[in-house]
Amino acid sequence: MFAGLRLSQLGAFSPEFPDAEALHKGLAHWNHRRLAVATPGADWRAEINENARMQRLEGAYVEAFRAWVAPLVADVPTDPAGFIAWFEELKTSGPGQWDPLFDWLACEAGLGDLQWFLTQEAAGEAGFDDLVAMTQVKLPTRPKLELARNYWDEMGRGHEGGMHGPMLERTTRALGLTPAIDRTLWQSLALANTMTAFATNRRYVYQSIGALGAVELTAPTRVGCVAEGLKRVGVAPEARKYFVLHAQLDIEHSKAWNAEALEPLVAETPDCARFIAEGALMRLICGEQCFETYRAHLWAHAHPVVYAAE
């Protein structure tokens, strides 16, 4: 099986959602609706019924994914020092690390290639700031404070020009990108759906903390490559700012997240280590699947025999 399809069998399929593409597009549209700012309406009962139906589909997918990664977390250390060592090793040997896609984006990809890649990434962006905000609810003091500091950085420390979400939106506009759910690969949507499921369901709070920590741990090298590629093809500094910033800032974020969120949580509740590990691995596996699928698309013209065989 083509590696980019490794998660294609996870979930509860039906005539409405017969495969992974239909399922993740359906979940993505539902997430867009349910997280949007809204006002009271007469159809609130129908909305509750629809949310319950979609939550069952979301839960079936997440639980199938959890079962899939269970053997990978069976022996995760439950002491704080051992767990942090295990977690930090993900940066070196975790799923999707050092994918050749990123050296290619930095050194060879054309502007059109980078635009296609960033369109996929933007359409699958779940909003790190909102995920952090939803995850921090009712956490113990030290982890809650760390997520608050992280959120404050995402908010530009109170200055609109420094907010990370709008910064990425400015990049999207400057490059003329038009991301849309229905034009996005399901693998990218699956990543966003997984992160959203973790943050919006309190039963997955530890998985969300692990997944968000994995982003901070592993993103700097990748976003640095994207920044280099954009600079090489002549993209203006303002449009590259989001990637340049995260190539540096996330290094410090990761250190603080591990010390102030992960370590005290595992010290207080050792059994949570497995759930944090699940979230981290599930996030990285989703990313790995995206990278492999992106390469199949972007490199097909350069390696047609290889990708035809896959």
Side-chain angles (χ1 to χ4, degrees):
M1 176 185 289
F2 167 49
L5 299 177
R6 59 167 53 87
L7 304 182
S8 62
Q9 302 303 309
L10 301 182
F13 301 108
S14 66
E16 182 182 9
F17 301 115
D19 54 31
E21 181 176 15
L23 175 65
H24 286 290
K25 284 184 177 180
L27 288 172
H29 280 296
W30 170 63
N31 282 325
H32 180 76
R33 292 192 304 272
R34 69 162 170 156
L35 295 178
V37 176
T39 56
D43 60 347
W44 60 271
R45 291 181 179 85
E47 182 180 332
I48 289 174
N49 290 337
E50 172 67 0
N51 285 340
R53 184 176 74 93
M54 296 304 293
Q55 283 180 316
R56 285 192 289 270
L57 289 169
E58 177 189 66
Y61 161 70
V62 173
E63 290 303 314
F65 200 168
R66 289 187 62 223
W68 197 80
V69 302
L72 304 179
V73 299
D75 299 320
V76 168
T78 57
D79 65 288
F83 180 76
I84 294 301
W86 178 91
F87 192 88
E88 291 181 343
E89 176 61 23
L90 293 174
K91 181 175 178 62
T92 300
S93 58
Q97 298 312 292
W98 316 112
D99 192 287
L101 172 68
F102 292 92
D103 281 342
W104 180 80
L105 290 173
C107 303
E108 299 182 46
L111 177 59
D113 298 320
L114 285 156
Q115 287 173 315
W116 183 89
F117 166 79
L118 291 172
T119 299
Q120 295 295 313
E121 292 284 282
E125 170 61 37
F128 196 91
D129 53 350
D130 290 334
L131 297 176
V132 170
M134 289 186 282
T135 300
Q136 61 79 38
V137 174
K138 300 297 182 182
L139 284 181
T141 299
R142 276 182 67 191
K144 191 179 187 75
L145 284 171
E146 179 51 37
L147 269 66
R149 287 187 287 266
N150 190 292
Y151 181 77
W152 190 233
D153 280 348
E154 290 284 330
M155 291 293 101
R157 295 181 171 268
H159 300 283
E160 183 176 353
M163 291 174 66
H164 295 187
M167 197 181 296
L168 180 59
E169 291 172 7
R170 290 194 292 274
T171 298
T172 299
R173 289 195 300 270
L175 292 173
L177 310 184
T178 55
I181 289 171
D182 289 327
R183 295 195 300 272
T184 303
L185 295 173
W186 72 261
Q187 289 87 349
S188 181
L189 300 177
L191 189 157
N193 290 336
T194 301
M195 298 294 287
T196 303
F198 288 164
T200 56
N201 291 285
R202 300 313 293 163
R203 66 183 179 274
Y204 297 135
V205 65
Y206 290 123
Q207 284 87 348
S208 189
I209 290 167
L212 293 167
V215 174
E216 300 285 30
L217 178 72
T218 64
T221 302
R222 293 195 298 271
V223 296
C225 288
V226 175
E228 289 176 26
L230 292 172
K231 181 179 181 180
R232 177 177 51 77
V233 299
V235 173
E238 183 63 21
R240 294 186 268 115
K241 185 177 180 181
Y242 174 87
F243 301 99
V244 173
L245 174 67
H246 282 78
Q248 299 300 321
L249 184 61
D250 285 355
I251 296 173
E252 297 306 315
H253 277 176
S254 178
K255 292 177 181 177
W257 193 280
N258 294 356
E260 297 299 320
L262 302 189
E263 188 169 342
L265 284 171
V266 174
E268 182 177 337
T269 311
D271 288 346
C272 80
R274 177 168 64 88
F275 302 125
I276 295 172
E278 280 182 2
L281 284 173
M282 290 164 75
R283 170 58 181 83
L284 294 181
I285 289 166
C286 284
E288 178 184 47
Q289 183 175 241
C290 286
F291 308 153
E292 291 164 346
T293 309
Y294 296 165
R295 278 193 279 110
H297 175 91
L298 291 166
W299 292 5
H301 64 286
H303 308 283
V305 175
V306 172
Y307 286 106
E310 290 184 336

